[in-house]
Amino acid sequence: MHELSIAHGIVDVAVGEARRLGAVRVSAVHVAVGRLSGIEAGALLFCYDIATAGTPLDGSRLVIEDVPISIYCKPCGSEKALPGVNRFRCPDCQTPSGDIRRGRELELTHLEVEQPDFTPLTQSAAS
Amino acid sequence: MSAPTVPLTATETRIVEVRAGILKKNDELARALRRRFEAAGVFVVNLVSSPGTGKTAFLERTLRELREQGLRVAALVGDLETDNDAQRLARSGAPARQINTHGRCHLEAEMIEAHLDDFAIDQLDVLFIENVGNLVCPASYDLGEAMRVALLSVTEGEDKPLKYPTMFNSADVAMITKVDLAEACEFDWEAARQSIESVRPGMTILSCSARKGTGMATWYAALETRRQGWRSTRRDVVV
Ligand SMILES: [Zn+2]
């Protein structure tokens, strides 16, 4: 099971990004997990709590966006989402295609953060 | 009830778009390794499979016979705890090193990097990496290889690729092993071909018996064709 390694990877990337944003607290981490990424969502959620313990992400939620596989179908001239993970054919015209456009993602997409509210300062500086 | 606490610094909760690869560190390192391999002129092959496909026997024979053909070859072997496989591979006469993953179920780019100094890689033609026996986890980790081969044995059943689509999809070649047992297992070649085609249309499918030597010449020819193609396109990078 490599979900623990992946969870540690999420912590590394998220902590770096949170610092860059000047966040006071991170309440949630959103990740996009393609169905071809080889990651099992349940295992990842389980490992997330272990990996975040004692880090600035302790207590934050992990939100997993499941990304289905899309292939490009030449005869149809468009991208098609596949219902499963092991049949790389256009669901409409049945043409096989290995031209994968989506489904390999393993990406941190959003952070829900608490940031110091500098808006009034910025406004007064601008006026 | 007490009065609401006024925070010293006002904060606001926001959702911020980030877009960062979770395996960024591994992927960056793998890219650097790939440049280093290209500069050294060494063609790197990552072998992946479940346990028991005969990967070590396949690699042992490959190392021995490619050496006899005059190629300079070596192997890095990932293993959870022991160094049995490296000892076995060293019998081929080629340099072989073990990477102990200490229980981790896959090799990562940094483990490869840490062991490269064990070889003079610019003196090598082909470096094989025998990944940990596991069809799930190694799929996610780029090791900087130029070619990935997924092995499946006739004893495992024809539907293996359908159960592990990520691994077969990420590989360049499917190698069906232990074909000397195919008849005894009533192995259905057409069903196997279809399940591989289903998860990776157009994938190169080879078969062999490392024990009997069947199919090995075809494998060496396929390897050489890809290596020549790689040599003609690789950039001349100075590290
Ligand atoms: Zn179509």
Side-chain angles (χ1 to χ4, degrees):
Chain A
M1 192 175 75
H2 63 315
E3 277 80 1
L4 187 57
S5 303
I6 300 292
H8 283 300
I10 293 174
V11 173
D12 280 351
V13 177
V15 168
E17 293 292 328
R19 284 216 179 100
R20 200 175 53 79
L21 292 166
V24 178
R25 205 179 84 87
V26 176
S27 50
V29 175
H30 295 239
V31 293
V33 175
R35 289 193 193 161
L36 260 185
S37 68
I39 303 299
E40 213 269 294
L44 184 57
L45 281 169
F46 175 76
C47 292
Y48 185 74
D49 289 339
I50 301 170
T52 51
T55 77
L57 295 180
D58 206 337
S60 65
R61 283 179 303 131
L62 180 68
V63 182
I64 299 177
E65 179 204 349
D66 168 48
V67 184
I69 301 165
S70 288
I71 52 160
Y72 182 78
C73 175
K74 247 191 192 156
C76 293
S78 61
E79 205 178 300
K80 300 287 174 91
L82 301 182
V85 292
N86 55 21
R87 204 172 137 84
F88 287 79
R89 282 171 184 270
C90 172
D92 296 324
C93 73
Q94 305 302 320
T95 307
S97 170
D99 185 354
I100 298 162
R101 298 294 172 89
R102 272 160 70 81
R104 294 191 202 275
E105 295 80 356
L106 191 49
E107 199 183 46
L108 202 154
T109 58
H110 297 85
L111 287 178
E112 283 178 40
V113 295
E114 278 174 30
Q115 281 173 307
D117 186 1
F118 292 127
T119 321
L121 277 176
T122 320
Q123 274 173 353
S124 65
S127 57
Chain B
M1 265 186 79
S2 58
T5 322
V6 179
L8 288 174
T9 316
T11 61
E12 58 172 349
T13 305
R14 295 206 299 145
I15 297 188
V16 188
E17 181 164 346
V18 175
R19 296 277 163 203
I22 291 161
L23 293 174
K24 198 167 67 176
K25 234 160 67 184
N26 185 79
D27 292 346
E28 280 167 5
L29 193 49
R31 268 197 293 279
L33 282 177
R34 191 165 282 118
R35 285 196 295 272
R36 198 168 152 192
F37 295 147
E38 285 176 353
V42 57
F43 187 71
V44 178
V45 182
N46 184 2
L47 300 174
V48 295
S49 81
S50 44
T53 49
K55 198 163 32 155
T56 308
F58 169 76
L59 184 51
E60 188 183 350
R61 185 165 192 135
T62 298
L63 290 171
R64 192 177 69 237
E65 294 185 337
L66 288 181
R67 244 182 117 240
E68 287 164 8
Q69 291 179 20
L71 277 178
R72 300 166 301 175
V73 293
L76 275 173
V77 191
D79 196 275
L80 296 168
E81 295 298 344
T82 70
D83 72 342
N84 298 344
D85 286 350
Q87 286 183 16
R88 195 172 149 194
L89 290 174
R91 294 200 308 238
S92 68
R97 296 285 182 278
Q98 190 88 24
I99 300 176
N100 191 327
T101 63
H102 301 288
R104 264 194 278 186
C105 52
H106 58 270
L107 289 172
E108 296 184 18
E110 65 176 351
M111 302 179 194
I112 302 298
E113 189 195 36
H115 284 80
L116 282 186
D117 293 339
D118 295 356
F119 308 109
I121 58 166
D122 55 347
Q123 304 291 308
L124 290 177
D125 297 311
V126 186
L127 172 65
F128 292 93
I129 300 170
E130 181 182 337
N131 218 309
V132 179
N134 178 340
L135 270 180
V136 181
C137 313
S140 304
Y141 293 88
D142 184 358
L143 304 180
E145 73 265 27
M147 177 183 181
R148 190 178 284 191
V149 180
L151 287 79
L152 69 157
S153 67
V154 298
T155 54
E156 291 176 285
E158 300 82 1
D159 58 349
K160 199 97 192 192
L162 298 176
K163 290 180 184 159
Y164 300 94
T166 300
M167 184 57 91
F168 283 88
N169 192 275
S170 75
D172 304 292
V173 171
M175 171 62 80
I176 301 171
T177 61
K178 301 188 181 177
V179 298
D180 51 317
L181 303 175
E183 210 170 319
C185 299
E186 298 182 4
F187 187 69
D188 185 338
W189 288 96
E190 183 50 24
R193 195 193 61 76
Q194 278 179 18
S195 64
I196 294 167
E197 265 292 312
S198 179
V199 297
R200 178 81 198 256
M203 189 181 207
T204 301
I205 304 171
L206 301 173
S207 63
C208 74
S209 161
R211 199 151 63 103
K212 307 262 184 189
T214 325
M216 296 302 284
T218 311
W219 151 240
Y220 303 143
L223 178 68
E224 192 53 22
T225 304
R226 284 183 180 257
R227 191 169 76 93
Q228 293 306 336
W230 170 82
R231 278 159 64 100
S232 65
T233 57
R234 80 188 161 94
R235 292 157 291 163
D236 277 317
V237 191
V238 181
V239 178

